[in-house]
Amino acid sequence: MANVRALAAQTLFQVVDKGNSLSTQLPYASQKLPPKDRALLQQICYGVLRYLPSLENYCQQLLEQPLRGKRRVFQFLLYVGIYQLQHMRVPAHAAVAETVNALKPLGAPGMKGLVNAVLRNFQRQQTTLEQSANDILVCQYNHPSWFIKKLQAAYPDSWAEILEANQKQAPMWLRVNQRHDHAQAYSARLDKAEIDHTLYNEYEDGILLTHPVDVTKLPDFAQGACSVQDAAAQMAARLLAPQDGDNILDACAAPGGKTCHILELANAKVTALDADEKRLERVADNLNRLSLEADCVHGLADEPNNWWQGELFDRILLDVPCSATGVIRRHPDIKWLRRATDIDELAALQAKILDEIWPLLKPGGTLVYATCSVLPQENHQQISAFLNRTGDAQHIPLHSEDKIEKPGLQLLPGTTDGFYYAKIQKQ
C-alpha cells in the first residue's frame, strides 16, 4: 500500500522544484491511495505549501547543508514531518515514526538516522526556531517577497489581512440552481439534512456552508439542484444580467461554473470558449449534470479570427487569464509557481484580449471583465487604460466608489475569494 507521507514528499517536489500544478499532481498521487487517506494527503500538501518559507528556514537551522540533487525529495519529507509536528493534531511520536517509515517506499532506509534526528531536534528547539523565523517578513507571512511588496504598495492599510486570509482554509459556497429552486427553499432542504449554513442577501444564489461537506450529502446535487462555486465568482453572471434570447460569449470559460450560471438565469445562446481542450471537457461535464446546453469552442480569446462565426454578441463575459492571486487559499501552489515577471506578461495578454474581443460586441451590448486577482495592474489599471484608448467604451459603475479614475469592484479574500469586476457598455 502507498505511503501518504512518501507521496506527499514526491508531490511537493514535483510542484515546488519541477513547477507542476498541485491540481494536476494531487489527483495523480491520490489514485494510489484508499479514499480514507486522500484527505490526509491533501491536508499535508496544502499545509506544506502554505508554510513553505518557515519550513525551509527551520531546516536551514537544523541541517548542516540542504539536501540536493537525488536527495532533494527527502528535504520535502522533512517539511512534511515538521508541518505535522507544528500544525497537525497527529501525536508527535506518530508524526515522527510515520515520516521515518516513509523512507522505505522512497528507497532510502539508510536516511532514517538523519530524518529522525532533524525531527527530534525540531521538537526540542521549536519555540526558539519559531521566534527567530518570525523576525523574517517572508517567514512571518509565508508568502514570496515580491508579492508582499506589491500588496504593501496597493493596500497599505490591509496588506497583512490579505496575507492572513490566504493562509486559511477556503470556505465552501453553494450556488443554487434557479431553474430548480430559490436559495431560501434550498436552505430549508439543507436544514432538513442538518447541514449548517448561512444565507447572505447580497448573494442571491449563494449559500455559505459552516463546514465543507462531501457533495454527495447535498440534497439533489447529482440532479443539478446546486453547484459548488464561491460567492465572488457567482457575481459574474449576475453582473452580466443575461436575458432570454441573448447571444452571449463566455470567453476563457473553463471549468464552466460561470457558463452554467448564465444559463440558469436565462434561456440564452451561449458560446463557451477556452484555449485548453482538456478543460473544455469539464465545461461539458458541468453542463451535462445541470441539463444545460452551450456551444463549447476550442480557441484563443486573443485570436477570434480562428473561431468566431461573424455574429455579434449581446453580452460578453471576459474572465481573462490572470495571476490568480485572489484564490491563493484554494491553490497555495500559486505562491511558488507565480513569478513577479509573470504579472507584466499577463497584463499584456489581458490588454490584447480586451482589444481583440471588443469588436465582437454589438453596439449597446455589455462586457463584464473579470479576474481572480488582487493586483491593480491586472484590474483597475487595466480597465482605465482600455477606457482611455477605446472611444466607444462606456464605463458602467458597479458601486458608489466606482469612478472612471479607478474603475470596477475589487473584492479581497475573506468571506469570499479575491475577485475583480468591471462593466463596460458599447456606445
Side-chain angles (χ1 to χ4, degrees), residues 370-425:
T371 76
C372 54
S373 169
V374 295
L375 299 178
Q377 191 178 347
E378 301 179 271
N379 296 343
H380 73 79
Q381 291 173 11
Q382 183 71 264
I383 293 302
S384 284
F386 176 74
L387 292 169
N388 285 333
R389 68 176 179 267
T390 313
D392 58 351
Q394 182 184 359
H395 164 241
I396 307 294
L398 298 178
H399 58 102
S400 59
E401 299 299 309
D402 184 353
K403 303 287 197 294
I404 200 154
E405 311 82 55
K406 191 179 176 181
L409 170 66
Q410 179 70 66
L411 303 168
L412 299 176
T415 308
T416 72
D417 288 341
F419 258 76
Y420 172 83
Y421 289 107
K423 194 167 183 174
I424 307 166
Q425 191 168 44

Side-chain angles (χ1 to χ4, degrees), residues 80-227:
V80 166
I82 294 171
Y83 172 73
Q84 291 172 90
L85 290 169
Q86 191 179 22
H87 295 285
M88 288 177 66
R89 291 179 181 170
V90 182
H93 65 90
V96 173
E98 292 296 334
T99 304
V100 169
N101 288 342
L103 288 162
K104 189 174 179 183
L106 289 173
M111 292 191 68
K112 283 184 176 180
L114 175 70
V115 171
N116 188 61
V118 169
L119 298 182
R120 295 293 183 198
N121 282 335
F122 174 77
Q123 284 180 281
R124 283 191 282 271
Q125 301 173 40
Q126 183 170 350
T127 304
T128 309
L129 288 165
E130 287 173 350
Q131 286 170 346
S132 67
N134 217 33
D135 292 335
I136 304 164
L137 192 67
V138 167
C139 295
Q140 186 183 349
Y141 290 102
N142 285 289
H143 281 70
S145 175
W146 70 265
F147 183 59
I148 296 174
K149 286 173 185 166
K150 279 192 182 290
L151 284 189
Q152 287 173 327
Y155 306 100
D157 299 325
S158 56
W159 62 271
E161 287 96 316
I162 297 169
L163 296 174
E164 284 160 10
N166 285 350
Q167 291 295 92
K168 293 177 179 164
Q169 184 181 3
M172 184 171 176
W173 280 89
L174 305 181
R175 183 189 77 238
V176 178
N177 186 349
Q178 295 296 318
R179 288 178 180 243
H180 281 239
D181 249 333
H182 51 78
Q184 287 80 3
Y186 197 74
S187 167
R189 300 184 68 189
L190 290 174
D191 283 336
K192 199 170 177 183
E194 298 184 343
I195 297 172
D196 290 341
H197 62 279
T198 308
L199 288 166
Y200 286 80
N201 291 334
E202 59 265 48
Y203 306 114
E204 50 200 303
D205 309 313
I207 296 178
L208 176 62
L209 301 188
T210 307
H211 306 287
V213 302
D214 191 294
V215 292
T216 56
K217 295 187 168 64
L218 298 170
D220 285 340
F221 178 83
Q223 289 71 42
C226 70
S227 299

Side-chain angles (χ1 to χ4, degrees), residues 173-427:
W173 280 89
L174 305 181
R175 183 189 77 238
V176 178
N177 186 349
Q178 295 296 318
R179 288 178 180 243
H180 281 239
D181 249 333
H182 51 78
Q184 287 80 3
Y186 197 74
S187 167
R189 300 184 68 189
L190 290 174
D191 283 336
K192 199 170 177 183
E194 298 184 343
I195 297 172
D196 290 341
H197 62 279
T198 308
L199 288 166
Y200 286 80
N201 291 334
E202 59 265 48
Y203 306 114
E204 50 200 303
D205 309 313
I207 296 178
L208 176 62
L209 301 188
T210 307
H211 306 287
V213 302
D214 191 294
V215 292
T216 56
K217 295 187 168 64
L218 298 170
D220 285 340
F221 178 83
Q223 289 71 42
C226 70
S227 299
V228 177
Q229 186 185 40
D230 191 80
Q234 292 179 32
M235 292 180 69
R238 284 292 179 178
L239 291 172
L240 193 68
Q243 304 298 310
D244 290 350
D246 277 350
N247 184 30
I248 297 173
L249 172 65
D250 181 4
C252 318
K258 300 180 185 75
T259 308
C260 293
H261 195 191
I262 291 166
L263 289 161
E264 288 169 7
L265 298 178
N267 290 311
K269 177 187 172 187
V270 176
T271 300
L273 175 79
D274 204 85
D276 188 331
E277 207 160 7
K278 197 78 185 154
R279 278 167 56 81
L280 263 180
E281 292 173 13
R282 290 185 61 196
V283 180
D285 291 343
N286 280 318
L287 288 163
N288 288 338
R289 182 179 66 85
L290 296 162
S291 303
L292 299 168
E293 287 184 21
D295 186 16
C296 294
V297 175
H298 177 229
L300 297 170
D302 60 340
E303 295 179 4
N305 290 341
N306 293 332
W307 52 264
W308 183 47
Q309 300 298 311
E311 188 182 353
L312 294 173
F313 296 99
D314 298 287
R315 296 169 204 273
I316 296 175
L317 173 59
L318 202 53
D319 187 0
V320 292
C322 72
S323 63
T325 45
V327 292
I328 284 172
R329 62 189 180 178
R330 294 189 188 279
H331 306 282
D333 53 327
I334 288 167
K335 293 190 284 187
W336 316 118
L337 297 179
R338 192 67 68 225
R339 300 283 177 265
T341 50
D342 295 343
I343 309 307
D344 286 343
E345 292 172 18
L346 285 163
L349 176 60
Q350 292 154 4
K352 187 172 184 234
I353 290 173
L354 274 163
D355 290 341
E356 292 289 342
I357 288 290
W358 185 250
L360 279 55
L361 185 65
K362 279 182 187 174
T366 301
L367 182 144
V368 170
Y369 175 90
T371 76
C372 54
S373 169
V374 295
L375 299 178
Q377 191 178 347
E378 301 179 271
N379 296 343
H380 73 79
Q381 291 173 11
Q382 183 71 264
I383 293 302
S384 284
F386 176 74
L387 292 169
N388 285 333
R389 68 176 179 267
T390 313
D392 58 351
Q394 182 184 359
H395 164 241
I396 307 294
L398 298 178
H399 58 102
S400 59
E401 299 299 309
D402 184 353
K403 303 287 197 294
I404 200 154
E405 311 82 55
K406 191 179 176 181
L409 170 66
Q410 179 70 66
L411 303 168
L412 299 176
T415 308
T416 72
D417 288 341
F419 258 76
Y420 172 83
Y421 289 107
K423 194 167 183 174
I424 307 166
Q425 191 168 44
K426 184 176 273 194
Q427 291 180 306

